[in-house]
C-alpha cells in the first residue's frame, strides 16, 4: 500500500511479493503462484498487517522453534538450483539462450562484453572473500595460481587485503600472479613430504601472520599446507574441488582454532563484480589469454587449449 492507502498494485501484470532474503533484508521480487486446485481461489490482497512473528523472522530468521532453514538469499545452496552447464541444464555457449530477466545485469558503459563474461569466475573470488570476511587488515595466502586463484587474489585486493602471497607449482602462472599484483610468490612441489619446509617458506614470504588462506586447488597437499600455514584463530576457505575426499591434519588445526569454511559457486555477487570492473578496482583483462571464433574448429581448438594448460589462463569465445 502506498501513502494514504493508495495501492501500488500493478493490475494484471507480474505478481510481486516481499521476500525475506536474509537477516534484516527484504526485497520485492516476482512471485509465481502455484496452479489452482479444484477447491482453491485466487485472492487479491489489498491490506496486509505486520505481525510480531514477522519481525522475529526478519531479525533472526526464526520464531520459537520455527526456523527459516534455507533463506532465499542463499540460493546457491538450493538443491534445485539451475546453473548453466550443470546437467541437466545446458551451457551458454550458443548464439542465443533464454535467461530470467530479473537475473540479467546491464554492463556499465566502460565494461566490455569480455570483461562482463569474466564476472562469472570473479564471482567465485568475491563470494570467497565475503565468506572469509576479508578486509583491510586481512593478510591473504592463496594456494593455486590458476584462473580461480588469480581472481580470488584480485578480489581480495579489491576488498582491501594489504598483503597477498600466492603459491603454485608452475613458474608461468606464478609470474602472471606477480604481474597482477601478488606481493610475493612461492613455488612448491607436489610431494607432501615437502609441506613443513614449504610452510616455513610461505610464512617467511608473508612476513607476518597469515589471517586467511584460500585453497583454490582442493588437494590433500594444498589444504594441508593452508591449515599449517594459517595463524591460530585464522581461517582456511576451501574454494577448489580437486578431490572429493581429503586426508588433512584437521585435529591440530582445530586445536589452534583454525576455522575451515567452504564455498559453493556464489550468490548475489554480480552487482559488486560490475562495480569493481567499472571503477577499475579489478582488472580482469590480463586473464584472457586466448580467443577463438565460434565454429566447429574454433570450439575444438579452444577446449584443447584450455585442457592443455600451459600459458592458457582464461580461454574466451567471440560469437
Amino acid at each position: 500500500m502506498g501513502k494514504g492507502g493508495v495501492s501500488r498494485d500493478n493490475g494484471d501484470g507480474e505478481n510481486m511479493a516481499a521476500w525475506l532474503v536474509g537477516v534484516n533484508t527484504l526485497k520485492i521480487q516476482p512471485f509465481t503462484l502455484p496452479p489452482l486446485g479444484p477447491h482453491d481461489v485466487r485472492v487479491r490482497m489489498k491490506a496486509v498487517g505486520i505481525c510480531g512473528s514477522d519481525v522475529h523472522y526478519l531479525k533472526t530468521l526464526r520464531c520459537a522453534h520455527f526456523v527459516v532453514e534455507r533463506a532465499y538469499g542463499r540460493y546457491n545452496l538450493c538443491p534445485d538450483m539451475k546453473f548453466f552447464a550443470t546437467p541437466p541444464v545446458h551451457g551458454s555457449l550458443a548464439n542465443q539462450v533464454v535467461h530470467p530477466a530479473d537475473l540479467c545485469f546491464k554492463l556499465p558503459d566502460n565494461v566490455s562484453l569480455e570483461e562482463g563474461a569474466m564476472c562469472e569466475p570473479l564471482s567465485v573470488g568475491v563470494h570467497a572473500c565475503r565468506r572469509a570476511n576479508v578486509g583491510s587488515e586481512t593478510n591473504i595466502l592463496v594456494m593455486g595460481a590458476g584462473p580461480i586463484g588469480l581472481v580470488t587474489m584480485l578480489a581480495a585486493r579489491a576488498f582491501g587485503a594489504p598483503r597477498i602471497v600466492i603459491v603454485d607449482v608452475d613458474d608461468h602462472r606464478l609470474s602472471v600472479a606477480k604481474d597482477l599484483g601478488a606481493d610475493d610468490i612461492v613455488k612448491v612441489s607436489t610431494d607432501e613430504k615437502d609441506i613443513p619446509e614449504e610452510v616455513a617458506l610461505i610464512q617467511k614470504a608473508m612476513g607476518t601472520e597469515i589471517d586467511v588462506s584460500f585453497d583454490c586447488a582442493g588437494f590433500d597437499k594444498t589444504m594441508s599446507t593452508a591449515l599449517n600455514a594459517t595463524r591460530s584463530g585464522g581461517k582456511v576457505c576451501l574454494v577448489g574441488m580437486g578431490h572429493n575426499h581429503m586426508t588433512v591434519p584437521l585435529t591440530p588445526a582445530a586445536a589452534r582454532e583454525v576455522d575451515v569454511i567452504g564455498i559453493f559457486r556464489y550468490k548475489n555477487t554480480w552487482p559488486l563484480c560490475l562495480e569493481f570492473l567499472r571503477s577499475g578496482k579489478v582488472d580482469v583483462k590480463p586473464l584472457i589469454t586466448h580467443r577463438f571464433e565460434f565454429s566447429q574448429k574454433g570450439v575444438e581448438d579452444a577446449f584443447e587449449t584450455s585442457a592443455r594448460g600451459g600459458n592458457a589462463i582464461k580461454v574466451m569465445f567471440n560469437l
Side-chain angles (χ1 to χ4, degrees):
M1 300 291 288
K3 184 178 180 181
V6 178
S7 174
R8 292 178 180 171
D9 175 69
N10 59 349
D12 295 326
E14 190 170 25
N15 187 46
M16 307 296 285
W19 290 86
L20 176 59
V21 301
V23 173
N24 288 327
T25 307
L26 291 168
K27 289 187 178 181
I28 302 298
Q29 298 180 150
F31 175 37
T32 302
L33 294 173
L36 288 173
H39 304 293
D40 296 331
V41 295
R42 183 176 290 115
V43 180
R44 180 179 295 278
M45 307 304 294
K46 286 294 187 180
V48 178
I50 298 176
C51 179
S53 61
D54 298 328
V55 177
H56 279 292
Y57 284 120
L58 175 66
K59 298 294 185 182
T60 66
L61 298 182
R62 68 180 299 148
C63 184
H65 64 283
F66 294 98
V67 180
V68 179
E69 295 288 352
R70 183 183 295 116
Y72 183 79
R74 297 186 75 174
Y75 58 83
N76 59 314
L77 302 182
C78 175
D80 298 320
M81 180 183 177
K82 296 179 180 179
F83 197 84
F84 273 134
T86 302
V89 181
H90 294 298
S92 57
L93 185 53
N95 291 122
Q96 296 183 10
V97 297
V98 174
H99 197 60
D102 61 340
L103 295 178
C104 293
F105 297 87
K106 182 176 173 57
L107 293 180
D109 291 339
N110 65 333
V111 175
S112 69
L113 292 171
E114 287 190 340
E115 291 174 283
M118 290 296 292
C119 281
E120 201 284 328
L122 180 59
S123 286
V124 177
V126 166
H127 184 49
C129 288
R130 282 175 170 171
R131 287 276 288 151
N133 294 320
V134 172
S136 60
E137 297 182 354
T138 314
N139 295 303
I140 301 294
L141 169 64
V142 178
M143 301 297 300
I148 295 300
L150 293 174
V151 293
T152 299
M153 179 190 76
L154 294 175
R157 187 70 82 197
F159 273 81
R163 186 162 179 81
I164 304 173
V165 172
I166 192 162
V167 174
D168 203 279
V169 298
D170 184 85
D171 285 318
H172 174 72
R173 292 195 170 190
L174 286 173
S175 68
V176 172
K178 188 68 174 177
D179 291 342
L180 288 173
D183 294 291
D184 210 339
I185 54 177
V186 177
K187 185 178 181 181
V188 295
S189 73
T190 58
D191 191 341
E192 292 191 28
K193 294 179 181 178
D194 295 331
I195 289 178
E197 179 183 349
E198 290 171 354
V199 165
L201 290 174
I202 291 168
Q203 292 174 333
K204 181 179 179 180
M206 181 63 73
T208 186
E209 289 188 315
I210 296 168
D211 301 301
V212 173
S213 293
F214 293 107
D215 182 0
C216 296
F219 297 108
D220 287 0
K221 192 193 176 201
T222 54
M223 193 63 176
S224 296
T225 301
L227 288 169
N228 280 285
T230 305
R231 69 168 174 83
S232 297
K235 298 176 184 176
V236 173
C237 181
L238 179 58
V239 180
M241 296 183 177
H243 283 164
N244 196 37
H245 297 280
M246 290 189 187
T247 301
V248 297
L250 197 56
T251 301
R256 297 190 298 111
E257 294 192 356
V258 176
D259 293 338
V260 178
I261 56 178
I263 70 161
F264 184 63
R265 295 172 179 159
Y266 42 80
K267 66 180 181 69
N268 303 320
T269 53
W270 291 78
L272 182 57
C273 288
L274 290 173
E275 175 56 25
F276 280 163
L277 297 177
R278 184 203 64 79
S279 65
K281 291 189 74 173
V282 171
D283 183 8
V284 294
K285 294 189 292 293
L287 298 177
I288 305 171
T289 56
H290 293 73
R291 295 171 174 83
F292 292 87
E293 65 177 4
F294 185 47
S295 65
Q296 182 63 41
K297 185 177 187 304
V299 168
E300 292 173 355
D301 290 347
F303 275 88
E304 182 180 339
T305 299
S306 184
R308 188 168 56 243
N311 64 349
I313 297 176
K314 182 55 69 172
V315 177
M316 188 73 66
F317 286 100
N318 295 128
L319 282 74

